[in-house]
Amino acid sequence: MLPGGARGAILVDREITSLLGTALRPAASARPIEPDQVQSSSLDLRLGPRAHRIAASFLPARSILHERLAELETARLSLEPPGAILERGGVYLVPLDEELELPPDLRASFNPRSSTGRCDLFARVLAPGHGRFNEAPAGWRGPLWLEIAPLSFAVRLVRGDRLCQVRLERGEARLDAGELLAEHRRAPLAWSEGRPLEASELQIDAEGGLALHLGLVGREPAGWRARIEAPVLEFGRERAHEPREFWEGVHAPNGHCVLAPGGFYLFASRERVRVPPHLAAEMVPVDVGLGEMRNNYAGFFDNGFGWRDEPIPGTPAVLEVRAHDVPFLVEDGQVFFRLRFFATSGRPERLYGEGRGSRSYQDQDLALARCFRASEP
């Protein structure tokens, strides 16, 4: 909450646009920020001119970034067209083409975009001098860097590719459990089997996280698993690849399947999610004690995700999952992730997916990233 008890909020598109050139500005050598980078309550960030391959990840809280980079750098790649190939298993640091100059009342949070997570690109933002990834405190100013680790596929990246996004928050915007329940009663946030969930069916934790479930039954295939051997992924080229070159189907004839250690998987939620126009949401992992796996590399949902009544209300969430050290059986209906909802400063001028056509995941079910064609493996 803000002083005086006012509700905190994530800024929406018109306010983001008003901050372009001031709080949000292009780096010295970058082109101006483009209007289509502005989403309902976030801004897409662009890769800068080069990638530094480094021997190890680091957090530049107690050291100067350029000094640590000079110590750890093993190669430097130009990302100017036609770009460069980042090898599977490597760790890279890339300057972004946007910088921040936040006022004292705004802080920033970052997350990978959906396509980034679905291509198994581990990506997180560093704000030099700040001691945590994927955030910048109120009043922070300076350049931004993105750490990228291709985990399943070698990938070609080009300057201007958009792997992550930023949202700006004033005060505390997260809804608590009572506020979330009230929102669901006004307009259901989750549907299953063609009906809205009853309030009594919701599993809401003390932090206001809404637990949702894995959906295997009724999908064929029930999920996708990344192939060990695959060609170079052209991240920025829409519909560039046949899915079968990179993915194999996962089947669950009895409502369950076994994840192989180290394997990367895509599944979908059993519920269909709806984010009202005045809210945004973030997908967060469940308690690690619930399974030998990590899920959800990405997961910020702009205002209006799934906000429709026809033909079927809501949109399933796609889940990115990596198994840990032992084979692990997952079952249909298992709690798999949580959604946290946030108040925004109003209804944006453009809801999620509006005017984006095939570039939107609004109509997805178990959808692969945009660089893959619609045909199935």
Side-chain angles (χ1 to χ4, degrees):
M1 292 290 183
L2 297 170
R7 153 62 70 190
I10 293 173
L11 304 192
V12 296
D13 50 13
R14 57 184 171 274
E15 293 165 303
I16 293 171
T17 299
S18 74
L19 294 172
L20 299 183
T22 55
L24 300 160
R25 64 188 186 208
S29 65
R31 299 179 60 174
I33 295 174
E34 300 172 12
D36 70 350
Q37 291 177 241
V38 179
Q39 308 305 327
S40 303
S41 51
S42 61
L43 177 75
D44 295 341
L45 302 177
R46 302 166 297 178
L47 297 184
R50 64 193 180 279
H52 304 260
R53 183 160 184 166
I54 53 178
S57 174
F58 66 95
L59 187 59
R62 301 177 60 185
S63 61
I64 297 174
L65 184 141
H66 288 283
E67 293 178 355
R68 187 67 73 199
L69 183 59
E71 175 187 350
L72 295 174
E73 183 179 69
T74 61
R76 186 175 300 188
L77 307 173
S78 172
L79 296 183
E80 300 291 355
I85 296 172
L86 279 59
E87 298 294 338
R88 177 175 178 248
V91 182
Y92 300 83
L93 202 58
V94 178
L96 293 175
D97 265 349
E98 285 76 29
E99 298 182 349
L100 297 183
E101 188 170 344
L102 298 177
D105 64 334
L106 283 182
R107 66 179 183 274
S109 299
F110 308 88
N111 58 274
R113 299 182 68 217
S114 296
S115 290
T116 306
R118 296 181 202 199
C119 292
D120 201 15
L121 296 175
F122 181 75
R124 54 188 179 182
V125 172
L126 292 80
H130 182 59
R132 294 177 64 88
F133 290 106
N134 285 336
E135 63 181 45
W140 189 89
R141 57 182 61 191
L144 300 169
W145 292 74
L146 185 66
E147 179 187 308
I148 306 170
L151 298 180
S152 286
F153 316 119
V155 60
R156 183 186 302 277
L157 296 176
V158 182
R159 184 177 190 177
D161 282 343
R162 305 173 189 181
L163 273 68
C164 62
Q165 56 192 176
V166 61
R167 59 189 187 271
L168 301 178
E169 184 175 348
R170 181 178 289 116
E172 177 52 64
R174 179 168 54 86
L175 303 188
D176 62 28
E179 292 170 321
L180 183 64
L181 186 59
E183 288 287 350
H184 181 77
R185 285 173 171 154
R186 278 193 289 269
L189 305 175
W191 294 62
S192 184
E193 298 180 346
R195 65 174 182 84
L197 295 183
E198 299 289 342
S200 60
E201 297 178 275
L202 299 183
Q203 297 173 254
I204 303 175
D205 62 27
E207 298 180 342
L210 174 63
L212 297 176
H213 304 81
L214 177 63
L216 299 176
V217 172
R219 290 187 172 96
E220 183 54 42
W224 304 119
R225 178 184 175 184
R227 292 187 180 275
I228 296 175
E229 300 294 335
V232 173
L233 181 75
E234 302 285 346
F235 179 83
R237 290 179 54 201
E238 193 164 339
R239 300 188 181 92
H241 300 292
E242 287 292 342
R244 63 176 176 270
E245 296 181 298
F246 294 81
W247 302 95
E248 56 187 352
V250 175
H251 308 283
N254 299 311
H256 59 259
C257 60
V258 176
L259 308 185
F264 178 74
Y265 297 82
L266 295 177
F267 294 110
S269 63
R270 184 173 69 180
E271 294 86 358
R272 304 179 70 89
V273 175
R274 295 204 312 171
V275 180
H278 63 289
L279 299 179
E282 181 181 31
M283 190 187 300
V284 293
V286 297
D287 186 337
V288 294
L290 295 179
E292 287 293 320
M293 59 191 177
R294 170 192 172 141
N295 56 356
N296 310 333
Y297 290 86
F300 181 70
F301 296 172
D302 282 287
N303 310 54
F305 177 87
W307 189 252
R308 59 179 187 181
D309 293 319
E310 299 294 341
I312 304 173
T315 301
V318 169
L319 315 172
E320 300 123 14
V321 181
R322 181 174 300 283
H324 284 173
D325 298 326
V326 299
F328 188 72
L329 184 144
V330 293
E331 302 179 78
D332 181 74
Q334 177 179 345
V335 172
F336 227 61
F337 69 104
R338 298 177 296 147
L339 276 184
R340 289 190 300 206
F341 287 79
F342 299 85
T344 62
S345 55
R347 182 185 176 116
E349 294 180 353
R350 189 175 66 178
L351 296 180
Y352 176 80
E354 287 185 350
R356 297 182 65 183
S358 63
R359 297 179 61 203
S360 168
Y361 293 118
Q362 186 73 294
D363 298 320
Q364 73 180 6
D365 189 86
L366 185 55
L368 299 175
R370 296 187 185 98
C371 55
F372 297 102
R373 299 183 188 123
S375 58
E376 297 180 351

